[in-house]
Amino acid sequence: SQTIHQWPATLVQPVGSPLSLECTVEGTSNPNLYWYRQAAGRGLQLLFYSVGIGQISSEVPQNLSASRPQDRQFILSSKKLLLSDSGFYLCAWSNGLGNTEAFFGQGTRLTVV
Amino acid sequence: KQEVTQIPAALSVPEGENLVLNCSFTDSAIYNLQWFRQDPGKGLTSLLLIQSSQREQTSGRLNASLDKSSGRSTLYIAASQPGDSATYLCAVHYTGTASKLTFGTGTRLQVTL
C-alpha cells in the first residue's frame, strides 16, 4: 500500500533562517506531488506541484521554493524565512492520471518567530 | 474564477443525528470532487472521491452526492457519533488545472453526547 511521510511535525524558526521540509512517498511510482499551505481560517492554498523529477510548477509568487531530486521525494525550502511564512504545510500525492484520489501527509506546523 | 464554498462554517449536533454538509463550486467543468476529514493539527484523510460522471459514492455511514449542473455536492453522515467531530473539507479538481485541487474552507463539526 502507498504511504506518505512528512517531517518534521512541528518547527519553530527565527526570521531570516533557512527552511527545509521533506516529503516522501512509498508504494507508488511517478506520482504527482504537491505542497499546500493552510493558514488559519483559510482554505488550503497550492504552493507547488511536480509531475516528475526536476519538474516544478509554482502556483503563487512567494519566498519559498520546491525541488524534486528523486521520484518520490519532494522538498520545500526557503533561504530566509519571513513571519508571513508561518502556517501549516501539507504534502500530497496522486498518481499521474487526472481522475484520481489525492492523499495527504500529516503536515508540518511552522512558526516563524 | 474557480471557487469552492462550504456552508455552514460550523455545526454542532447531538449524537445520533443524521446531518448534511454542503459544498458548492462555480464551474461545472470538473474531473472529480473529493471530501476530506481533518482532525485538529493533523493532515487530511480522504473520505470519498466522486468522479464527474458519478452521482454519489458511499462508504459506511457516509454518502456523498454530486450534481454538476447545479455545482453542488453534499456529504451525508448517518447516525453521527462523537468520533465524527472534525473539520470536513470539500475539494474540486477542475479540468485543465493539472491535478490541482481547489479547496473550500471547511465545515467544523462537533457531535455532542
Side-chain angles (χ1 to χ4, degrees):
Chain A
S1 64
Q2 302 90 357
T3 57
I4 180 169
H5 302 280
Q6 189 180 342
W7 68 93
T10 60
L11 192 59
V12 179
Q13 292 284 98
V15 169
S17 64
L19 172 73
S20 181
L21 303 181
E22 189 162 344
C23 172
T24 59
V25 180
E26 296 177 356
T28 187
S29 295
N30 196 31
N32 287 346
L33 297 172
Y34 310 86
W35 280 110
Y36 285 84
R37 177 167 59 199
Q38 187 176 35
R42 299 177 63 182
L44 275 78
Q45 181 185 38
L46 179 66
L47 303 176
F48 301 95
Y49 69 91
S50 171
V51 299
I53 295 174
Q55 300 178 60
I56 309 295
S57 296
S58 174
E59 285 292 301
V60 293
Q62 58 205 312
N63 185 43
L64 303 168
S65 62
S67 62
R68 184 170 177 174
Q70 299 181 44
D71 182 44
R72 289 168 289 178
Q73 184 185 29
F74 205 25
I75 298 172
L76 183 68
S77 304
S78 174
K79 292 182 179 179
K80 291 185 178 182
L81 284 168
L82 306 172
L83 287 174
S84 58
D85 292 323
S86 294
F88 192 52
Y89 289 83
L90 289 154
C91 180
W93 76 273
S94 65
N95 75 27
L97 303 176
N99 288 344
T100 58
E101 199 168 359
F103 299 93
F104 282 76
Q106 286 301 299
T108 296
R109 171 72 59 191
L110 171 66
T111 304
V112 182
V113 296
Chain B
K1 185 178 178 182
Q2 295 170 328
E3 297 180 334
V4 178
T5 304
Q6 291 186 249
I7 295 174
L11 182 64
S12 181
V13 300
E15 181 180 15
E17 270 203 11
N18 302 324
L19 60 101
V20 174
L21 307 180
N22 297 295
C23 172
S24 61
F25 47 96
T26 54
D27 186 345
S28 62
I30 69 172
Y31 282 129
N32 57 52
L33 183 147
Q34 197 167 350
W35 282 94
F36 294 90
R37 168 186 173 137
Q38 185 176 29
D39 293 291
K42 302 295 184 181
L44 277 62
T45 299
S46 179
L47 298 175
L48 289 164
L49 172 73
I50 310 178
Q51 303 292 355
S52 63
S53 59
Q54 298 175 321
R55 298 287 298 213
E56 66 178 315
Q57 282 284 357
T58 298
S59 176
R61 294 182 293 109
L62 305 179
N63 176 278
S65 68
L66 175 65
D67 184 343
K68 269 199 323 179
S69 61
S70 66
R72 292 183 179 183
S73 176
T74 62
L75 179 66
Y76 175 82
I77 303 177
S80 59
Q81 304 171 356
D84 295 330
S85 299
T87 296
Y88 290 81
L89 295 162
C90 167
V92 173
H93 179 191
Y94 286 106
T95 59
T97 59
S99 297
K100 178 179 75 173
L101 292 176
T102 301
F103 280 84
T105 52
T107 294
R108 189 171 66 254
L109 172 66
Q110 182 174 12
V111 181
T112 58
L113 292 171

